[in-house]
Structure formats: structure tokens, C-alpha cells
Amino acid sequence: MREPVDLRRQRILAAVQARGTARVRDLAAELQVSVVTVRRDVEELTREGRLLRGHGVVRSPVPVGEAPEGGPPDGDRVAVVVPARHSYLTETLHGARTVLEEAGLRFALHLAPQADGAERPLVERALEDGARGLLLAPRWRSLAAEEADYAWLAALEVPTVLMERRPRPGSAPHALDSVCSDHGYGAHLAVEHLVGLGHRRIVFATRDDSPTARSLRAAFARIAGAHPLVEEWTWALSAPESGQEGPYSADETAELPALLRKVGATAVVLHGDVDAVMIVQRLAAEGVRVPEDCSVVAYDDVVAGLATPPLTAVAPPKGEIGRVAADLLLQRLQGLSGTGGAVRRVELLPRLMVRGSTRRIDDPDDDPGGAPGNDSGNDLSNASTE
């Protein structure tokens, strides 16, 4: 999913202002976009008087370390460190940036490569550059990678808020403020929606390479295992590369069409929704129709609504996560914490967006029924399982 143009241009400005000068090709590589895109952004920023262009390079109109006229002083800077190529967090970044800029703070974005421990050197560099506070979303592809970061996170001496991350209870950085989606509630929404449509046999296809994925696996196991109307359920991996810690059972590594037939499942919950779109395409190639033969609920709702059919999805409050995290950080920076300095762990509830990929299995009517407040109507027709 493409990030907003204004966010990309803010990243260009931050990079050039931090260095004084930068090559266009280097900026394109750093932002993982085309050189043509960066040139177009630089031209617009130059017209606005915010950058100066040279032959293949771009310069800041003010010396390094000095603020642009009318802008916040260089010391009023908050560093935001998130994984590169993580479209889920784009809305979160936008929400955080809006709050910070309205408060007159500079938003310095750092993108961590896809490697364990990549966030620490970025944080150290940001602190050396004078960052007063941190918003962090470490990648944490495995529990071991998460635990390896605990010591340096606990030693941070500036206000820090974790976004969509929560260290395990009793760990050293558990004392950091955090803002998360309540993924247990999101799992509950998915299961209750399918059970309410008459589905009794469900496959949960999840990733296993992030804190969210591990939380969802635990939540689905707890909810489905205790639900009186769920007759049978099992696991699958939503993508071959999504499992990092294995080993996995034969069911978890099985092809989804075969697993649906084995379990007699009429529904599947898929995390994340990019994987969900690809799995729905694979099901179609195998002759499994969505939602006629199998109802599908995606989790994340980044691109689920763009699929064919549009996918019913659990939508965590991504933008609100960023806004609340930034507000918590501001309160720490301004010494306005209303809880006397107590650590705050905020959980925000996801929503269920009902679209065309789920259907009641005992209703022969093929006409979709509208659902007020949803992106599209509920499609509630009969389904069968091979």
C-alpha cells in the first residue's frame, strides 16, 4: 500500500535537513521509491521554497541544526522508528505525525531494515541527533528477537511509547508506555461473526512472524476452543515464509483447499489481509468460491476492501493508535501525565467491516442484504463444502 504523498515528502525534508545535502538517487533508495517519484517531490518542495535543487542533489535552505523560519527549534524533535515495508503502520504514522506537528514538534522518521536488532542503531543515532522522545514499533519477527531488545529498551532515558507492541509481563521494558489494538477482541469479532452466520467448522490461517500474529494465534485458540458452537477448528500458516519459530504440525503446513476439505470447514479467518487476498485467488484457482463455498474474514483491513470480492475484515484502529501514542508521548514530554508518572497501557478496540466475502450457510436467498455503516452489504447466501 502506497504511503501518502505528504508523508513521503516529509521524510525527504527530514533526511535533507538532517544532512544538509543529499543525492536524489540515495533518497530514492532510502525511501524505496523510484528516482522519478523523488524528483517530482523535490520539484514541488523546491517550488514551496523548502528545498534547493542542484544537479542530481538536493540541499536544505538552512544550515544543519537550524530550524526553518517559523518552524520548531531543532531540539523539539521526536524520533519515530518503524519497520520498512510495513504498510499496516502507514495510517499509524500519519495519525502520530498530525498530533506531533500540531504541538510544534519535528517528526523524524526512521525505517528499520528487515533484520533482527535493526532498530537499536537507529534509536541511538536519533538520540545523538537530539531526539527528545521516541515512538517505536520494533519488527520482532520472533520471540527471541523481541527478548534480545529488552535490555536496551529498558535503559532508554527519554520518554518512549511502544506502538502495537507490548513486551511480555515481567520483562524489563514492560514499564514502557504502550498503545495497542486489542487483538483478542478482534479475534472475538471474527469468530462471533462467522458463528452467527451458522459456521461451525473454521480454519484459522495466521502468520507467526510478529507480535500481532502470535497474539492472534493465542486468542483464536482460546476463543474457538471454548466456544460452545464451534465444532471443529484447526491452524494453517497464511504464507510459507510467515512461520519463523516452528516446528509446525502437518495441518498448519497443509495447502488450504485440502485442509478445508479435511476439516469440512465452511469458513476461514486469514491474517494479514494481503495474504488473505492471495489465498482467495488461490482458492478460486482450486474451484473454491468465496463466499459460496467458503466465507472469508481477513485481519488488518489494509487492502481487504479492494479485493474481489471485497473481504469482510477486522480493522484495528491504526490511525488512532498513532494519535493516542503521540498524545501519551507529549504528556510525558510536557510533564503532564495525569497518573503521577504511572505507566499506561492503552488498548483500543478493532471494528468488524462486513463486506461480500462472508455468507450465511443456511440461507438459500442469493440476494445480498444491506448493512448500515459497513463499506458494502452483507452477502448472505447458501454455501457448500467439497
Side-chain angles (χ1 to χ4, degrees), residues 342-362:
V343 173
R344 290 161 293 175
R345 302 190 189 98
V346 180
E347 284 194 340
L348 304 178
L349 300 185
R351 296 182 299 161
L352 181 70
M353 308 303 294
V354 180
R355 302 186 178 106
S357 66
T358 52
R359 175 175 298 204
R360 187 177 298 278
I361 64 173
D362 56 359

Side-chain angles (χ1 to χ4, degrees), residues 146-171:
E146 177 180 333
E147 292 175 342
D149 284 343
Y150 280 178
W152 69 266
L153 283 172
L156 290 172
E157 296 181 350
V158 299
T160 301
V161 180
L162 297 175
M163 301 184 300
E164 286 290 25
R165 302 291 185 264
R166 181 160 298 157
R168 59 177 173 79
S171 63

Side-chain angles (χ1 to χ4, degrees), residues 183-194 219-220 223 227 299 314:
H183 294 300
Y185 182 72
H188 163 81
L189 289 177
V191 173
E192 287 298 330
H193 175 65
L194 291 172
F220 282 129
I223 293 168
H227 203 295
Y299 199 101
V314 176

Side-chain angles (χ1 to χ4, degrees), residues 59-79:
R59 296 181 177 85
S60 174
V62 297
V64 177
E66 294 184 14
E69 183 178 353
D74 194 58
D76 287 344
R77 177 186 298 171
V78 168

